[in-house]
Amino acid sequence: MSHLLPDGAVHLAAVDAHRLAQWLGGGPRTVIVPAGALEQHGPHLPLGTDGLLSGRIAAAVAERVGALVAPTFTFGYKSQQKSGGGDHLTGTTSLDAQTLIALTRDVVGSLLRQGVRHVVVLNGHYENYQFLYEGIDLALRDGGVTADDDRCVLLLSYWDYVSAESLEAVYGDDFPGWDVEHGGVLETSLMLHLEPGSVWLDRAQEHPPARLPRFDRLPVVADRTPPSGCLSAPTGSSAEHGRLLFEQVVRDLAADLVAELG
Ligand code: ZN
Ligand code: MN
């Protein structure tokens, strides 16, 4: 049905309103909303890494399932020391929870009111998740969308699609855990595959995974974050690992959307 759209169109922002209306009228439609952050990722990755990755995964999935991709949320909820190094670090430019909840509520609500049947919020920044969830819940409440409605919203973080086989292939026995995968092997490998011109591996710093307390302390004790800003080192990253991760995640996520949404 994507012949209703300009050839190869996958981004909502690049489609005209008249063809969009036709497309929406032609069947149950899905729009994917990628979410990221503007957040320091050490000396070797750009601030926009989280949104770049969720946006690229969203575009590849959309191509497979015939969906459109909304503009990425390029700011996210505050980076936390135990998952992103902390909000005190230069370059990290964050939203308060109320702002992210409101943004999500407004965008998801607007898409549903225009006739989008399924919205998929594809998260790429660890700290966003519960606030995206809240924004979606409020949008559904605003729109009176209940369980017997055929409209729905899915929410996911892309790393939850990385399979055990991919983990084994990329990390062997050294997987440090998703919370400390900040500026580490996953993001660096994906960036090497997708945006190699924006990775500066010669500037990467070698260090063991961060060992942080079980509690959160506020204000943070800044020097508990490794000086690199990364919570694990990118040592062992490669474009080949990135390709494997990207293709596996896109394939499994696309299959899930087809199974769940038809
Ligand atoms: Zn990140
Ligand atoms: Mn992040």
Side-chain angles (χ1 to χ4, degrees):
M1 295 299 155
S2 49
H3 63 271
L4 295 171
L5 297 174
D7 269 354
V10 70
H11 292 289
L12 191 53
V15 171
D16 69 86
H18 290 242
R19 275 186 285 197
L20 176 65
Q22 247 189 326
W23 181 75
L24 287 171
R29 301 304 189 190
T30 299
V31 170
I32 306 177
V33 182
L38 194 68
E39 181 187 33
Q40 71 77 29
H41 276 74
H44 68 291
L45 290 176
L47 300 175
T49 293
D50 292 355
L52 268 165
L53 294 179
S54 59
R56 291 293 292 267
I57 292 166
V61 169
E63 242 171 82
R64 280 183 174 240
V65 304
L68 283 174
V69 180
T72 299
F73 290 180
T74 48
F75 295 97
Y77 181 68
K78 291 161 200 158
S79 180
Q80 289 172 240
Q81 188 168 42
K82 289 162 66 179
S83 46
D87 211 46
H88 57 293
L89 294 163
T90 303
T92 298
T93 310
S94 305
L95 304 176
D96 286 351
Q98 290 88 335
T99 315
L100 181 58
I101 292 168
L103 175 67
T104 307
R105 179 184 197 166
D106 289 354
V107 170
V108 169
S110 180
L111 290 169
L112 293 173
R113 285 193 297 277
Q114 293 171 59
V116 174
R117 196 77 62 89
H118 309 123
V119 178
V120 177
V121 180
L122 198 167
N123 180 40
H125 173 61
Y126 195 86
E127 293 85 342
N128 283 345
Y129 197 89
Q130 295 303 335
F131 307 113
L132 298 170
Y133 188 106
E134 177 69 1
I136 292 164
D137 188 61
L138 294 177
L140 294 179
R141 197 166 74 187
D142 295 339
V145 179
T146 53
D148 53 5
D149 204 295
D150 58 355
R151 292 173 297 166
C152 69
V153 182
L154 305 185
L155 170 64
L156 62 105
S157 293
Y158 73 79
W159 49 86
D160 286 331
Y161 275 82
V162 174
S163 69
E165 294 72 27
S166 297
L167 268 191
E168 167 71 27
V170 171
Y171 294 92
D173 291 329
D174 296 326
F175 179 58
W178 290 130
D179 49 345
V180 293
E181 240 305 341
H182 177 72
V185 171
L186 173 87
E187 290 184 316
T188 306
S189 294
L190 285 169
M191 287 293 284
L192 283 168
H193 172 54
L194 296 167
E195 303 277 346
S198 298
V199 184
W200 310 286
L201 263 193
D202 55 319
R203 295 169 47 74
Q205 293 175 15
E206 169 82 49
H207 57 79
R211 293 193 56 211
L212 292 158
R214 281 165 287 187
F215 50 81
D216 281 300
R217 174 170 167 155
L218 294 86
V220 294
V221 179
D223 60 12
R224 284 182 176 155
T225 301
S228 73
C230 302
L231 295 184
S232 54
T235 313
S237 302
S238 69
E240 183 51 35
H241 283 156
R243 189 182 62 80
L244 180 146
L245 289 161
F246 182 75
E247 289 176 357
Q248 182 262 305
V249 165
V250 167
R251 186 173 59 241
D252 289 359
L253 177 47
D256 237 16
L257 297 193
V258 170
E260 187 69 13
L261 305 175

